[in-house]
Amino acid sequence: MSNEVPAGRHDERVEDSKRVKRYHRTGRLLGVAGFLVDLAVLLALLFTGWSDALRTVALHCSTRLWLALLIYLGLFGMINQLVGLPLDFLRGFWLEHRYGLSNLTLAGWVKDQLKGVAVSGTLAALGSEFLYAAIRHWPETWWLVCAGVFIGFFFLLANLAPVLIFPIFFKVKPLENPALIERLLGLARRAGTRVRGVFEWKLSEKSKKANAALMGLGNTRRIILSDTLLANFRDEEVEAVLAHEFGHHVHRHIVHGLALEAGVTLLGFYLLHRILDWLTPQLGFQGIADFANLPLLLLVAMALSLILLPVVNGRSRAMERQADAYALRAIPSRDAFISSLEKLAAINLAERLPHPWIEFIFHGHPSTEKRIAFARRLPV
Ligand SMILES: [Zn+2]
């Protein structure tokens, strides 16, 4: 028998565990490869003069700066998408099918990719147009203006995402289970929050994985339960999963998360301002408003998010523990909480006990084994 499995585990988990490890190792490998490809494309665009060439082509098509920027973004986005496509396919389609986790057809995957490009392309175009207009209008204080506007936009997006973005990708309908709805609304009342409805999320069209969320901000705050969760979990297990989500609300994690994002955004724009002022003359750009420097902006953003990854994940794991502690006190039985974690791990092929370094760098949640051990020893 393998020695990877802690004492006291059932034998059937040994096989499972090797399969799970392979799934996660491959996923991480593809993720890191994707990151390196993105990095290589940005460095190549910046240092080979291709970004300059794209800007020259764009300005040749139109002398209006906003339109030239839009053309540049279209060309830039096309290169990024095409180079990244093989790895996106391997990670998003092939890997999930190989491990029997996906219900998505190839046509469905392509459709989702196109929708993703349309949504993220629109947001990227709006953001870039505003950014370069701000640099032109306020050469000294643009970074502060941009940080303020982008932070406001994050809050707006958190509010609008469940009604505007989520339905583009998934079918959602009001849940038809009065007993469960009453149970979950009771949980919301005890957590001191108001939710505008409980919804069933048709995830089974795409995936075998189970999920649930407390989504939205203010007047769009809602409970969303995947049909894959509803099909496999007893009502008290669904309640346990949601009690954890309400734990995030009680401890104000959603607002703290947005505040953290705001802080990182402000720091990021300040660093950008300093780095652009420093490197623009050396890299041969025509001033900091020259949009051929976009790869440099993205490189700074990538470096910042890479440095902050373990910090953000460490903070997230601490928040998850607080939410678990709240959940265990908010529901009648800890058995339902533990069995919901067991089921989630089994259905989603979760890594129950990742290597400590892997957990430290990549995981926003404590491992399933740690969460179950915590649930067993917490005095309720
Ligand atoms: Zn959580």
Side-chain angles (χ1 to χ4, degrees):
M1 283 293 118
S2 162
N3 56 8
E4 299 164 348
V5 174
R9 289 272 151 263
H10 301 297
D11 283 355
E12 77 253 24
R13 292 219 185 96
V14 176
E15 278 311 301
D16 228 37
S17 174
K18 280 181 185 160
R19 186 163 160 262
V20 166
K21 275 175 192 290
R22 257 201 315 272
Y23 169 62
H24 285 272
R25 204 179 298 138
T26 313
R28 273 195 299 272
L29 208 68
L30 292 173
V32 171
F35 179 84
L36 292 175
V37 166
D38 287 348
L39 190 67
V41 170
L42 291 176
L43 288 171
L45 282 166
L46 195 59
F47 291 107
T48 57
W50 294 348
S51 186
D52 282 301
L54 290 182
R55 181 247 288 114
T56 307
V57 170
L59 282 169
H60 190 73
C61 294
S62 172
T63 49
R64 282 188 212 152
L65 281 177
W66 71 267
L67 194 55
L69 173 57
L70 203 61
I71 294 164
Y72 171 88
L73 287 171
L75 297 168
F76 180 94
M78 213 145 66
I79 292 170
N80 267 315
Q81 283 296 324
L82 288 177
V83 175
L85 192 61
L87 280 167
D88 286 347
F89 172 79
L90 287 175
R91 196 177 185 197
F93 187 82
W94 171 82
L95 184 65
E96 296 295 295
H97 272 278
R98 188 179 161 83
Y99 285 86
L101 292 168
S102 180
N103 290 332
L104 203 57
T105 60
L106 186 58
W109 181 78
V110 171
K111 203 167 134 192
D112 271 3
Q113 288 295 108
L114 292 173
K115 285 180 188 175
V117 167
V119 171
S120 58
T122 305
L123 292 175
L126 286 172
S128 309
E129 291 287 355
F130 182 81
L131 174 75
Y132 283 101
I135 296 179
R136 286 196 298 274
H137 283 92
W138 303 285
E140 287 306 314
T141 52
W142 62 270
W143 60 277
L144 203 56
V145 177
C146 283
V149 169
F150 277 63
I151 290 164
F153 191 70
F154 291 155
F155 278 85
L156 187 69
L157 211 57
N159 171 263
L160 290 179
V163 283
L164 214 62
I165 311 239
F166 198 72
I168 296 177
F169 296 94
F170 297 103
K171 286 191 197 121
V172 180
K173 63 169 186 152
L175 181 67
E176 291 161 6
N177 181 343
L180 182 57
I181 292 172
E182 195 34 56
R183 203 169 182 143
L184 298 178
L185 292 182
L187 208 55
R189 271 194 300 276
R190 293 202 294 285
T193 182
R194 220 146 63 97
V195 291
R196 319 287 171 116
V198 183
F199 294 87
E200 181 179 335
W201 162 21
K202 286 261 169 216
L203 183 59
S204 64
E205 292 174 342
K206 305 192 179 193
S207 176
K208 292 189 167 59
K209 289 182 174 177
N211 210 337
L214 184 62
M215 207 179 260
L217 207 60
N219 62 350
T220 61
R221 176 60 65 83
R222 62 198 54 206
I223 292 171
I224 295 191
L225 308 167
S226 73
D227 53 353
T228 43
L229 184 92
L230 291 165
N232 291 294
F233 286 53
R234 288 179 287 122
D235 280 7
E236 54 267 42
E237 290 166 339
V238 176
E239 185 186 30
V241 173
L242 260 297
H244 167 96
E245 298 303 322
F246 282 116
H248 285 305
H249 169 83
V250 168
H251 290 286
R252 306 187 65 75
H253 291 161
I254 295 149
V255 175
H256 287 175
L258 282 166
L260 184 72
E261 209 175 324
V264 170
T265 304
L266 187 62
L267 174 71
F269 273 111
Y270 175 71
L271 286 176
L272 261 184
H273 156 64
R274 298 303 299 261
I275 290 171
L276 282 189
D277 279 355
W278 169 47
L279 282 180
T280 293
Q282 309 195 31
L283 290 171
F285 295 120
Q286 303 157 4
I288 58 166
D290 177 2
F291 54 74
N293 65 11
L294 187 68
L296 178 62
L297 267 70
L298 295 177
L299 282 167
V300 173
M302 266 172 99
L304 192 66
S305 58
L306 191 64
I307 292 165
L308 290 175
L309 186 66
V311 182
V312 169
N313 278 337
R315 181 155 169 68
S316 166
R317 286 193 303 273
M319 288 176 167
E320 294 302 329
R321 175 122 312 166
Q322 279 186 314
D324 278 353
Y326 173 83
L328 285 159
R329 294 192 171 105
I331 56 171
S333 133
R334 82 171 80 192
D335 291 343
F337 183 85
I338 292 171
S339 68
S340 76
L341 284 177
E342 294 275 5
K343 280 189 182 174
L344 278 174
I347 293 176
N348 295 350
L349 224 58
E351 227 172 355
R352 297 180 65 105
L353 204 59
H355 188 279
W357 275 104
I358 297 287
E359 186 174 345
F360 175 74
I361 298 169
F362 292 105
H363 287 223
H365 282 69
S367 66
T368 302
E369 290 301 322
K370 282 188 185 167
R371 292 179 72 184
I372 290 175
F374 176 71
R376 290 221 165 92
R377 68 169 190 266
L378 186 81
V380 180

